[in-house]
Amino acid sequence: MTDFALYLKGLFTDSGVPAAPEMLEQLDEYRRLLTEWNEKMNLTAITDPEGVAVKHFLDCALALRQVPQAGKIIDVGTGAGFPGLVWAVLRPELQVTLLDSLNKRLLFLEEVCRRLGVRCTLVHARAEEGGRNAALRQSFDAAAARAVAPMNVLAEYCLPFVKQGGCFLALKGPQLDAELAQAQNALRRLGGRLEKVERFQLPGGDQRCLAVIRQTAPVPRQYPRPAAKLKKSPL
């Protein structure tokens, strides 16, 4: 096992995250590809091995505790694959869809999936376009997003993908409480209800929050709105 995989194993063990040796090796290969491709395109500002292990892989892995044991998951605005591709590695039984508006990111994710032997569905679309697509709308057990937009905007991006009874998982930093206070109207209009907030601290002291929003009613047909209107007049 590589030094990085051993380091990651220690982090995961200390945090109670289960991961087989082959999964740790897959994540190490993911890290190598992330570093390599980041020299050609802007994928992440965090490229040092410790930073990738803690602030990307462990951060995503901790949120996996709230993901349904099996089912269809969509990562909205996945970027470099966080959290969706990490979840696909650690929970192979999940059916993971990675959605992003930039095709060059999807080319990177396609290569990572090929090299790791991980199966994900890749969708090139803006979030608000995907949420109006009949093939994607209200068809997932969970939608997730990490560092994409404020909660009132993020809810309109993500909740249209979620089946009634499913959940929207928002991976956030310590600003979550303020964002939730501003998102109450959005959640009410979109049929979402805050179920819980999980808080944890990463090694090094960074604070992380995970909001679990339960989809309690169908999203009205007018949502999500076009991007310009959504950003100009957030719910």
Side-chain angles (χ1 to χ4, degrees), residues 3 5 10 14 17 30 52 81 83 92 97 110 117 122 128 130 143 165 167 191-192 195 202 207 210 220 228 231:
D3 290 344
D14 290 345
V17 176
Y30 187 176
V52 172
T97 295
E110 182 178 37
L122 306 180
E128 68 278 6
C167 62
E195 185 169 283
L202 298 176
Q207 302 295 317
L210 174 67
K231 292 178 180 178

Side-chain angles (χ1 to χ4, degrees), residues 5-23:
L6 285 170
Y7 176 65
L8 194 59
K9 178 181 179 181
L11 288 176
F12 281 10
T13 299
D14 290 345
S15 299
V17 176
E22 59 269 23
M23 294 174 180

Side-chain angles (χ1 to χ4, degrees), residues 172-183:
K172 288 283 187 179
Q175 80 281 7
L176 175 64
D177 290 339
E179 290 191 17
L180 281 172
Q182 295 181 333

Side-chain angles (χ1 to χ4, degrees), residues 62 65 82 89 117 137 177 190:
L62 289 171
R65 298 168 180 169
F82 307 125
V89 170
R137 185 179 177 87
D177 290 339
L190 297 166

Side-chain angles (χ1 to χ4, degrees), residues 6 23 38 45-46 52 63 68 87 98 132 134-135 144 156 166 169 190-191 213 219:
L6 285 170
M23 294 174 180
N38 205 61
I46 300 169
V52 172
W87 291 356
L98 305 174
R132 293 194 296 270
E156 189 169 351
L169 304 170
L190 297 166
I213 310 295
V219 175

Side-chain angles (χ1 to χ4, degrees), residues 143-195:
R146 180 176 182 253
V148 171
M151 276 294 295
N152 56 345
V153 174
L154 199 58
E156 189 169 351
Y157 281 150
C158 293
L159 284 172
F161 291 104
V162 182
K163 296 176 182 177
Q164 189 169 345
C167 62
F168 158 40
L169 304 170
L171 287 73
K172 288 283 187 179
Q175 80 281 7
L176 175 64
D177 290 339
E179 290 191 17
L180 281 172
Q182 295 181 333
Q184 293 305 305
N185 180 57
L187 296 181
R188 179 179 57 80
R189 290 194 183 191
L190 297 166
R193 174 179 56 81
L194 178 64
E195 185 169 283

